[in-house]
Amino acid sequence: MQTTAATAGSPGPAATALTSRQRFLNACACWPVDHPPVWLMRQAGRALPEYRALRQKHSFLDLAQTPELAAEVTLQPVRRFGFDAAILFSDILVTAEGLGQKFRFDETNGIQMDFALRSTADVARLDVKALPERLHYVPRALRLVRAALGKQTALIGFAGSPWTLATFMAEGGSRDHYPHALSLFRKDRKTYFELAEKLTAAIIAHLQLQIEAGVDAIQIFDSHGGLLAPLEFQEASGRWIKEIITSLNERVAGILPANPASALPAGCRQHVEGVPPVIVFSLGTHGNWDDLLATGANVLGIDWRFPLADARRLLPCDIGLQGNLAPALLGDATPEAVAAETARLLEVMRGRNGYIFNLGHGVPPEARLENIAALVEVVKNFK
Ligand code: CP3
């Protein structure tokens, strides 16, 4: 028997009253929706007073590693703003921790890792097999969030791309510049590839944990893709993202209930049965659209430096697009200006299936709550 969209929470036609989860999944599959779904990258965090109150009592890592607290922080922005999707409160560097390179966070120094990874010997220290055990708190947090959201709201799992993780790991933390991963890639390709292979395996394992714990979609953050020259991107980043997506399609198919993918409109890419859609967000890689399409992503994030109208024109209709309001507006502008810019972006995408409203990068800590509320209201009332 064919499961219906309503029971499977999978893409289905824009009938009466979509749930947030169906709206989001429909958009990922380029199906019609009543209005675009909305969530924001880094929606949980310092802009929210309820997050800051918890941070008075707990370190960032305590929040991320205690399932009840991570679940609570994940739900905070959904409760306050009614986003269509929740994204697990965690960090891309959790994958490094799963491999044995621990990190911590403090307000003055940002992310600090236990060591900087520079040599083949350092790469050899990374242990992929230990990852599921080290990251046991991730699926536990996801199951709590899933139970709270039910089938009403979509749940997004995520990981960094191999390249972006490599930049932090080679530097030993967050810095103004990331020369070490670049020089590893440019001068010692063999060691870079050893690292990228291990990271790819670790990210697959990390995402698989998340898929088994019930996430509806995956986002891969390639926030440092733009540090590469366009001709370097494919070898340093694109091909590894492609390997992750291909492997998920092979491994996960069959574990999850089937999507009614055969019902997709003509011309739309067929999703692999039962595999959550993948969003690839690569920042500053506007010379690499073909490489990004070749990853097999279902949805591409469009950063705020690229005109959304150009993305609509350039990218095929069976690829979802996500973005791309300039994040700084949330801190700098009035609610009226944010509402006007939100409406403008919605108009740019009018009539184009597969649009997910989001920022062009993460919510900045100085974002004003009334600006986020104004943005959400405009998207929800768009007709
Ligand atoms: O989106 C969400 O709400 C979920 C949580 C989330 C965090 N980090 C929480 C976090 C997600 C999805 C991330 C992803 C992440 N982490 C990225 C990709 C997105 C992007 O911004 O480009 C990157 C590059 C990181 C690495 C990272 N984590 C850095 C560089 C820093 C320090 C600088 C900063 O932004 O604060 C972090 C710490 C971090 N991760 C915080 C949060 C809420 C700040 C910790 C705090 O203030 O309590």
Side-chain angles (χ1 to χ4, degrees):
M1 199 188 81
Q2 174 97 32
T3 47
T4 64
T7 55
S10 313
T16 46
L18 292 172
T19 64
S20 282
R21 188 179 186 220
Q22 287 166 332
R23 181 176 299 116
F24 176 80
L25 286 170
N26 277 13
C28 289
C30 291
W31 271 73
V33 286
D34 44 3
H35 57 79
V38 53
W39 71 281
L40 303 181
M41 293 186 273
R42 309 281 295 259
Q43 64 193 18
R46 285 163 292 182
L48 299 188
E50 54 271 38
Y51 174 80
R52 289 199 300 267
L54 272 181
R55 276 283 274 123
Q56 298 276 307
K57 291 187 266 168
H58 306 277
S59 72
F60 170 67
L61 279 186
D62 281 348
L63 291 182
Q65 296 178 347
T66 310
E68 291 72 19
L69 293 173
E72 167 59 22
V73 176
T74 302
L75 293 167
Q76 283 176 345
V78 178
R79 269 190 221 121
R80 184 184 268 272
F81 297 112
F83 290 122
D84 291 297
I87 180 162
L88 175 68
F89 183 79
S90 184
D91 200 87
I92 61 168
L93 294 170
V94 157
T95 309
E97 185 211 323
L99 282 164
Q101 190 185 14
K102 289 204 175 116
F103 73 98
R104 55 198 186 281
F105 170 82
D106 72 68
E107 297 290 338
T108 28
N109 302 308
I111 297 280
Q112 297 298 320
M113 314 210 62
D114 273 3
F115 61 94
L117 190 144
R118 304 269 163 90
S119 64
T120 309
D122 294 334
V123 176
R125 288 169 71 178
L126 304 176
D127 179 9
V128 180
K129 279 199 305 300
L131 182 140
E133 179 47 38
R134 286 190 178 127
L135 301 188
H136 59 87
Y137 56 87
V138 169
R140 285 172 58 205
L142 282 169
R143 290 201 166 90
L144 293 175
V145 178
R146 178 86 275 169
L149 297 176
K151 293 194 164 167
Q152 200 58 36
T153 304
L155 176 55
I156 302 172
F158 70 90
S161 71
W163 164 252
T164 294
L165 285 178
T167 58
F168 287 106
M169 291 164 77
E171 224 54 53
S174 50
R175 303 281 185 272
D176 292 336
H177 302 285
Y178 294 85
H180 285 95
L182 279 169
S183 75
L184 202 60
F185 175 72
R186 288 174 184 157
K187 298 189 190 133
D188 185 359
R189 191 64 60 94
K190 187 165 162 292
T191 305
Y192 178 74
F193 279 177
E194 278 169 23
L195 174 59
E197 255 168 48
K198 267 201 168 168
L199 286 172
T200 298
I203 291 160
I204 291 167
H206 188 191
L207 290 175
Q208 209 168 333
L209 285 181
Q210 299 181 56
I211 292 169
E212 284 163 12
V215 299
D216 296 302
I218 293 292
Q219 175 151 323
I220 297 177
F221 286 95
D222 185 38
S223 308
H224 287 174
L227 298 179
L228 295 156
L231 286 176
E232 294 172 322
F233 178 80
Q234 175 63 3
E235 283 298 293
S237 188
R239 64 177 270 199
W240 307 100
I241 298 176
K242 178 179 181 171
E243 202 168 310
I244 291 164
I245 296 175
T246 306
S247 165
L248 288 181
N249 285 347
E250 284 162 6
R251 284 169 195 233
V252 181
I255 296 181
L256 299 168
N259 277 342
S262 55
L264 286 178
C268 276
R269 154 185 312 239
Q270 299 287 306
H271 289 195
V272 179
E273 279 208 345
V275 181
V278 179
I279 306 167
V280 171
F281 173 74
S282 184
L283 183 73
T285 49
H286 310 144
N288 294 97
W289 296 119
D290 287 344
D291 298 326
L292 291 165
L293 288 170
T295 61
N298 303 97
V299 178
L300 290 181
I302 311 297
D303 74 52
W304 60 277
R305 291 193 172 95
F306 195 75
L308 194 59
D310 291 357
R312 177 176 181 167
R313 191 167 41 76
L314 283 172
L315 296 168
C317 70
D318 59 353
I319 285 286
L321 303 181
Q322 175 176 279
N324 76 343
L325 189 120
L329 279 184
L330 292 185
D332 294 342
T334 59
E336 292 73 28
V338 170
E341 178 60 4
T342 302
R344 186 187 70 78
L345 293 170
L346 289 165
E347 280 309 327
V348 163
M349 296 304 280
R350 184 183 284 285
R352 205 268 193 202
N353 281 344
Y355 178 46
I356 300 169
F357 197 92
N358 206 313
L359 305 180
H361 197 184
V363 175
E366 59 280 6
R368 294 165 58 193
L369 299 176
E370 58 272 35
N371 283 346
I372 302 177
L375 174 164
V376 172
E377 197 193 323
V378 172
V379 182
K380 285 191 184 274
N381 291 318
F382 184 67
K383 292 204 176 56

